[in-house]
Amino acid sequence: MARQRISEKQITELISCLREIAYNLWWSWHPSAQQLFHELSPFFWEESTHNAVEVLDWISGQELKGRLQNPAFFKRVEAVCKKYRTYLDKKNTWAAKHAAALKGPIAYFSAELGLHESLRIYSGGLGILAGDHTKSASDLGIPFIAVTLFYRQGYFRQTVSNDGWQQEQYPAYDPAKLPIRPVMDKKGKRVFSTVEIDNATVAFCAWSVEVGRARVLLLDTDLPENEQRYRDLTAHVYGGDQANRIGQEVLLGIGGVRMLRAIGVKPHLFHMNEGHSAFLTLELLREQLHAKKGMEAAVRHVRRRCFFTTHTPVPAGHDRFDRSLMAWALTGFAESLGLTIDALMDFGRIQPGNADETFTMTVLALKMSRGANGVSALHGSVSRNMWKELFPGQPEDQIPIGSITNGIHTPGWAAHTASQFWTVRLGEQWIDKLHDPSLWKRVLSGATVTDEDLWGLRTILRRELVEAARRRLRESHVIAGGAPIGPRSFDNVLSPHALTIGFARRFATYKRAPLFFRDLEWALRILLDQDRPVQMVFAGKAHPRDDAGKQFIQQIVNISRRQDLFGKVVFLENYDINIARHIIAGADIWLNTPRRPMEASGTSGMKTIIHGGLQVSTMDGWWREGYDGMNGWKIGEDKNYESETAQDEADAGSLRHVIENEVIPLFFDRGADGIPHKWLKRVRHSIATLAPQYNTHRMVIEYAQKYYLTGS
Ligand SMILES: *Cc1c(COP(=O)(O)O)cnc(C)c1O
């Protein structure tokens, strides 16, 4: 058959479709779409932190046209465009069947949102959860609009100095190079609004990010009409002092509602993801009072429309503002409600009128919501206990704070290798059915996946991590000045065959990154064993003001720089979604050592499940529910300890016991074929029991059924 020339019109259409896709993060959880951008320029794809907008900018229009003349490439682009349009137009979604009663979108407010490595407006688990919630809402067809801030300098870039101390850099984003677009009104004019902070009127605009069918608004005060300190209000995630913090929260809560109103969005429900956004309830109250409702009726109205998720299991972790700060930031706003600042303070106090009590955002959120939840069963009960004074006379188990355990957006976290693997073994539909237990039960059978298959997957993923780590370490080394490293070459860093233990998360001290090294002699013995090689990969940032967290980084970095441990313990700099993706996929063991009950849920371990990783974790957060005796290991006990030292001692001892007597022997117990069959039995059991449960599809459905669809 003669080759038909592809018409100019077809090419123009596909180019415009490619541009549309670049601006919709839908591509970030659809490997066939990612593949296209990668293929356009593998070099620039890496350089730009996987930024599709930048890649398309980099490739000239002439080149793009030329490449689309290649029928094979043309066909693939066409297929991706079709897939994209089918996704956007899909009618028989979960929500179409089960959530038709929603009268408008869920407006989801979060101070951080982690969608992709090219948009670093998150600091840790809370933001990642918000991003994953958004993606699952899109997949399920739930109308959804998230509101957060546009942090121009994001969270910092991390390097580590020669003496192991974390250094922070703040490169600024250029909006033109991000997958964001200015928010416009129907006439195509930019939308602006204002909030009052102190005596200033602070103007702001918004940017919009498309996330499949969902949308995210980023509020931005970096406008020429604002004073410099207000232009910088949104510079950093959780940056600056308390005054900056309250300013950010005024913008997020009050400004967020105003922006939604300005663009005509009528939410079914306002969902506050953590207390940072709770001022939104006061803006809703102001609207009601201005519509001449009495105070009681106005409060009732607001409560019907708001819902709150708390994430913080320790009292010190909740945002609190003292009266002088509140008066500084909010006197004008209080007056617009016809209230004194003291009357306003009472909304955030457990005991109204108690002048000694500060204003707590969580208290405001709890008072002004129709319901609330913690993010695991244990965290739910810890929260009911923590806030019981707000519900005097109620038995603790009836306090209206429930729980929904967190999840992850599985397709977004699946390494390409794993995604292809499950597509071949379970069929294309594994992505739509990932919360269906019967799908994952099939993994228990050798007919679906043989041990050889599964070990093959583990071997590829581990090697891919080793390669990514070597590349990263080389880059960091060059950036740091690149002194010669002598005979120890990067080619000897990590082994694709060693038992690989991963630990990557924020370096908050309660997560206890150095617990493995509490008995250093023991750790050296384990790590230097020639016959049964064990290696560790660490990554994580400490908050810029958290010196104790930075000391933990220093401790790990110093260990990784010991001559005898060279290449066996590595610390990868600048932890982000991209680095996380490599480590969660490559690790055989995911080490999770929070001091119980301080990890409300934790999610990083969930990302390892479909990659065949196994958990070794304290009985905190999600693992306390997920662990069944066979699908991983527990360390320490499910109980409270008399002191932190006693707890650390007990947990470290238990960790050593599990690693030495259970994990290592099982991993190196190989059949004649070199495969650890008993290990893989555990892996199968882990996938079958955990994969259908610990994902955001299950989680968002629970939110919808328990909270979004009830009580209005
Ligand atoms: C998943 C993830 C987290 C959350 O990890 P936890 O172990 O739950 O604290 C934080 N940061 C990044 C980049 C992640 O991908």
Side-chain angles (χ1 to χ4, degrees):
M1 211 163 69
R3 195 188 129 208
Q4 265 191 347
R5 204 178 152 74
I6 298 163
S7 79
E8 188 78 16
K9 181 162 167 278
Q10 284 172 301
I11 288 186
T12 313
E13 271 172 18
L14 276 197
I15 291 178
S16 92
C17 179
L18 262 183
R19 290 208 190 286
E20 202 182 319
I21 293 175
Y23 278 93
N24 189 325
L25 289 174
W26 171 85
W27 66 257
S28 72
W29 72 97
H30 290 88
S32 58
Q34 274 168 58
Q35 188 55 37
L36 298 178
F37 297 112
H38 173 261
E39 202 173 319
L40 282 173
S41 168
F43 170 80
F44 207 71
W45 175 248
E46 287 304 322
E47 286 287 292
S48 66
T49 344
H50 309 152
N51 182 334
V53 169
E54 277 202 84
V55 168
L56 273 193
D57 243 23
W58 172 242
I59 307 288
S60 75
Q62 279 308 326
E63 181 184 340
L64 204 51
K65 279 187 188 168
R67 291 178 72 169
L68 282 165
Q69 284 293 350
N70 173 343
F73 188 60
F74 179 92
K75 264 209 187 111
R76 275 189 299 124
V77 177
E78 200 178 32
V80 168
C81 280
K82 190 161 165 234
K83 193 169 182 163
Y84 172 66
R85 303 233 187 274
T86 308
Y87 178 93
L88 291 188
D89 296 341
K90 191 171 170 192
K91 296 282 184 294
N92 62 336
T93 60
W94 180 87
K97 261 181 252 145
H98 302 281
L102 290 179
K103 291 194 283 289
I106 303 301
Y108 181 86
F109 281 58
S110 183
E112 49 171 310
L113 214 111
L115 291 164
H116 187 255
E117 53 263 38
S118 62
L119 194 58
R120 241 175 310 101
I121 53 171
Y122 60 90
S123 92
L126 180 70
I128 303 286
L129 178 82
D132 284 5
H133 192 128
T134 305
K135 290 173 190 168
S136 276
S138 167
D139 288 344
L140 295 168
I142 295 177
F144 199 82
I145 183 162
V147 181
T148 187
L149 304 182
F150 181 36
Y151 302 102
R152 289 261 175 167
Q153 300 173 30
Y155 204 51
F156 62 94
R157 271 185 78 80
Q158 177 198 53
T159 54
V160 177
S161 71
N162 278 336
D163 56 353
W165 199 249
Q166 169 177 294
Q167 312 289 310
E168 297 111 23
Q169 293 98 36
Y170 293 92
Y173 277 131
D174 174 357
K177 295 186 169 162
L178 294 175
I180 67 177
R181 289 194 169 113
V183 170
M184 312 276 202
D185 63 16
K186 291 207 179 71
K187 293 188 205 120
K189 294 236 307 256
R190 213 138 187 207
V191 179
F192 295 93
S193 185
T194 59
V195 286
E196 298 77 45
I197 301 173
D198 188 12
N199 283 320
T201 297
V202 179
F204 64 96
C205 62
W207 304 83
S208 173
V209 190
E210 307 296 322
V211 184
R213 278 180 283 250
R215 220 176 144 194
V216 178
L217 299 182
L218 313 179
L219 310 182
D220 182 8
T221 56
D222 190 11
L223 296 170
E225 58 264 46
N226 288 333
E227 266 178 65
Q228 192 60 43
R229 69 165 162 161
Y230 292 121
R231 295 190 69 160
D232 293 340
L233 184 64
T234 49
H236 300 153
V237 185
Y238 307 132
D241 54 9
Q242 279 287 89
N244 199 77
R245 178 79 163 229
I246 200 172
Q248 287 190 341
E249 297 189 3
V250 165
L251 177 66
L252 177 63
I254 298 173
V257 172
R258 290 182 185 171
M259 185 51 72
L260 289 177
R261 299 304 191 216
I263 60 174
V265 173
K266 297 201 177 68
H268 177 88
L269 186 79
F270 291 84
H271 184 169
M272 293 170 267
N273 185 46
E274 189 54 305
H276 310 114
S277 59
F279 287 140
L280 78 82
T281 61
L282 297 178
E283 172 63 6
L284 296 177
L285 187 68
R286 192 187 62 84
E287 291 177 344
Q288 292 304 306
L289 295 173
H290 277 219
K292 300 280 183 283
K293 279 236 182 87
M295 181 57 91
E296 254 179 57
V299 169
R300 254 200 325 273
H301 176 96
V302 174
R303 289 182 52 127
R304 274 205 303 276
R305 275 162 185 75
C306 293
F307 180 75
F308 172 52
T309 300
T310 174
H311 290 264
T312 312
V314 280
H318 294 261
D319 257 335
R320 287 167 212 273
F321 301 122
D322 61 28
R323 189 185 176 283
S324 61
L325 193 64
M326 287 288 288
W328 171 81
L330 286 167
T331 296
F333 180 76
E335 280 164 6
S336 74
L337 272 76
L339 297 174
T340 62
I341 196 67
D342 288 293
L344 193 78
M345 287 289 291
D346 282 348
F347 282 91
R349 283 175 174 149
I350 293 175
Q351 289 178 304
N354 178 357
D356 293 335
E357 203 183 319
T358 54
F359 186 97
T360 306
M361 293 300 271
T362 303
V363 172
L364 173 65
L366 286 169
K367 283 188 178 184
M368 299 296 270
S369 294
R370 71 188 196 196
N373 74 301
V375 290
S376 68
L378 178 61
H379 179 233
S381 85
V382 166
S383 302
R384 286 189 289 278
N385 181 272
M386 193 175 348
W387 302 110
K388 60 177 184 258
E389 286 167 64
L390 255 183
F391 306 92
Q394 293 226 36
E396 200 171 306
D397 60 354
Q398 278 165 43
I399 285 171
I401 303 178
S403 76
I404 292 179
T405 305
N406 284 163
I408 55 145
H409 182 255
T410 314
W413 286 105
H416 286 199
T417 305
S419 184
Q420 278 165 9
F421 181 89
W422 294 117
T423 298
V424 171
R425 270 64 182 195
L426 299 173
E428 190 90 54
Q429 78 278 12
W430 78 267
I431 288 181
D432 297 319
K433 290 194 178 167
L434 59 94
H435 51 301
D436 174 358
S438 67
L439 174 83
W440 296 105
K441 234 187 209 142
R442 290 168 51 199
V443 176
L444 292 173
S445 147
T448 309
V449 198
T450 64
D451 273 5
E452 213 174 354
D453 278 349
L454 203 50
W455 191 240
L457 174 69
R458 284 300 320 135
T459 313
I460 301 175
L461 292 172
R462 199 184 306 107
R463 174 183 55 74
E464 286 176 347
L465 168 59
V466 170
E467 291 171 358
R470 288 181 187 175
R471 193 169 56 236
R472 281 282 175 166
L473 288 166
R474 229 180 239 126
E475 280 167 14
S476 301
H477 189 69
V478 170
I479 290 167
I485 59 166
R488 304 170 303 159
S489 141
F490 286 111
D491 297 338
N492 299 324
V493 169
L494 301 177
S495 150
H497 308 294
L499 169 63
T500 303
I501 301 177
F503 184 104
R505 46 178 66 83
R506 284 185 308 117
F507 265 55
T509 49
Y510 76 85
K511 293 175 187 263
R512 300 188 294 187
L515 199 71
F516 188 92
F517 301 100
R518 200 172 166 93
D519 177 346
L520 188 62
E521 224 171 280
W522 173 85
L524 290 174
R525 183 156 58 73
I526 295 297
L527 290 165
L528 294 175
D529 189 326
Q530 304 272 340
D531 301 328
R532 300 191 297 181
V534 176
Q535 61 194 8
M536 300 183 84
V537 181
F538 285 88
K541 294 174 175 175
H543 189 279
R545 282 190 300 271
D546 179 11
D547 279 352
K550 291 186 197 179
Q551 272 163 16
F552 275 12
I553 290 178
Q554 189 173 40
Q555 233 175 301
I556 300 294
V557 168
N558 285 343
I559 287 169
S560 77
R561 287 180 183 168
R562 286 173 62 110
Q563 295 275 344
D564 52 354
L565 288 180
F566 177 81
K568 296 214 146 242
V569 177
V570 301
F571 180 87
L572 303 182
E573 291 176 5
N574 201 31
Y575 179 50
D576 67 356
I577 291 176
N578 185 33
I579 295 201
R581 201 174 277 120
H582 286 296
I583 308 182
I584 56 107
D588 297 291
I589 286 292
W590 196 252
L591 188 58
N592 184 45
T593 51
R595 195 180 280 130
R596 182 189 176 284
M598 295 178 72
E599 192 70 274
S601 167
T603 55
S604 58
M606 301 173 189
K607 301 168 191 163
T608 69
I609 297 164
I610 66 156
H611 300 98
L614 292 172
Q615 318 296 314
V616 169
S617 170
T618 48
M619 294 300 272
D620 203 5
W622 77 278
W623 187 239
R624 195 174 156 269
E625 297 156 41
Y627 177 64
D628 73 354
M630 292 247 303
N631 54 4
W633 288 273
K634 71 163 182 169
I635 50 184
E637 294 304 320
D638 185 21
K639 67 166 202 185
N640 299 328
Y641 288 83
E642 63 273 19
S643 74
E644 289 191 347
T645 315
Q647 188 171 10
D648 292 355
E649 268 306 307
D651 288 351
S654 170
L655 169 61
R656 290 194 292 270
H657 177 83
V658 166
I659 294 285
E660 185 163 12
N661 301 312
E662 302 198 31
V663 172
I664 293 177
L666 200 64
F667 187 83
F668 290 104
D669 178 4
R670 303 296 167 94
D673 50 7
I675 295 174
H677 296 282
K678 289 189 196 126
W679 180 274
L680 291 178
K681 197 165 171 222
R682 238 173 228 253
V683 170
R684 285 177 198 276
H685 190 66
S686 154
I687 295 169
T689 55
L690 303 172
Q693 187 66 15
Y694 297 99
N695 60 74
T696 38
H697 280 30
R698 182 274 308 155
M699 180 190 88
V700 171
I701 289 172
E702 261 190 76
Y703 274 104
Q705 290 175 335
K706 283 193 189 163
Y707 298 118
Y708 294 169
L709 288 161
T710 58
S712 63

